[in-house]
Amino acid sequence: MAAKRAAGFVILRKLNDHIEYLMLKASYGDHHWTPPKGHVDPGEDDMATALRETHEESGFTEQDLIIFPNITKTLDYRVKNKDKSVVYWLAELRDVTKAVTLSEEHEDLKWVSKEDIVDLCGYEDFGDMIEEFHAKYLDELEKLYSS
């Protein structure tokens, strides 16, 4: 049986020289922390899923985000004895003061530093992805400011 597919965005906001990542706390199950993401609906592509789920779970629309289509990673893991595959893209919140609007699927939110991600979510592979995204984001900023 094929892995259940999901998609979402790792959303960051840049506050002066400090970068924080949005994490949402699920209101069900083990109340885990995750970025906005969700299952791909039939006939829907991964990017459409990421945009839809992000809007549903955080209130952010495509216009609220700077999406980095080339900064992406897929994490494969098992949940309740079933394979799951989640593709993430990095996105930056355009207006750092814009409030998150949580859906009923989540009970809390935090903006956290990359150093605190693993402690919050508990998954090394997720922390590794954040480190990778963070480095690639800084590379993008350097290219932008050096041109």
Side-chain angles (χ1 to χ4, degrees):
M1 187 172 162
K4 188 75 172 171
R5 192 134 178 100
F9 290 110
V10 171
I11 299 172
L12 68 83
R13 67 179 181 184
K14 188 172 183 301
L15 305 169
N16 299 316
D17 289 333
H18 183 70
I19 296 171
E20 298 175 324
Y21 294 88
L22 177 63
M23 296 293 284
L24 308 176
K25 185 178 183 182
S27 58
Y28 57 88
D30 62 0
H31 300 270
H32 60 283
W33 289 90
T34 181
K37 68 169 178 14
H39 293 118
V40 177
D41 287 342
E44 188 177 50
D45 68 30
D46 293 340
M47 181 60 77
T49 298
L51 289 166
R52 175 180 54 78
E53 289 288 343
T54 297
H55 185 248
E56 289 173 6
E57 295 182 359
S58 71
F60 297 148
T61 66
E62 185 173 4
Q63 292 71 36
D64 294 318
L65 305 172
I66 300 167
I67 297 167
F68 297 90
N70 297 325
I71 303 178
T72 184
K73 187 168 184 90
T74 301
L75 297 181
D76 297 307
Y77 53 94
R78 291 183 67 76
V79 177
K80 296 180 184 172
N81 254 357
K82 294 181 182 168
D83 291 331
K84 188 168 186 176
S85 185
V86 183
V87 60
Y88 290 102
W89 287 273
L90 183 66
E92 181 178 2
L93 187 60
R94 290 180 189 274
D95 176 0
V96 299
T97 65
K98 185 166 177 88
V100 175
T101 304
L102 290 178
S103 71
E104 291 180 6
E105 293 180 51
H106 297 95
E107 62 188 19
D108 199 4
L109 69 100
K110 286 185 181 183
W111 288 96
V112 298
S113 69
K114 69 178 176 68
E115 293 81 11
D116 294 331
I117 289 281
V118 173
D119 287 341
L120 187 64
C121 77
Y123 298 104
E124 289 291 332
D125 60 343
F126 188 81
D128 293 344
M129 178 182 70
I130 296 298
E131 289 287 346
E132 184 179 317
F133 279 12
H134 191 87
K136 289 179 178 179
Y137 173 73
L138 294 178
D139 287 347
E140 289 294 318
L141 287 182
E142 188 175 315
K143 286 181 207 169
L144 182 67
Y145 292 121
S146 67
S147 54

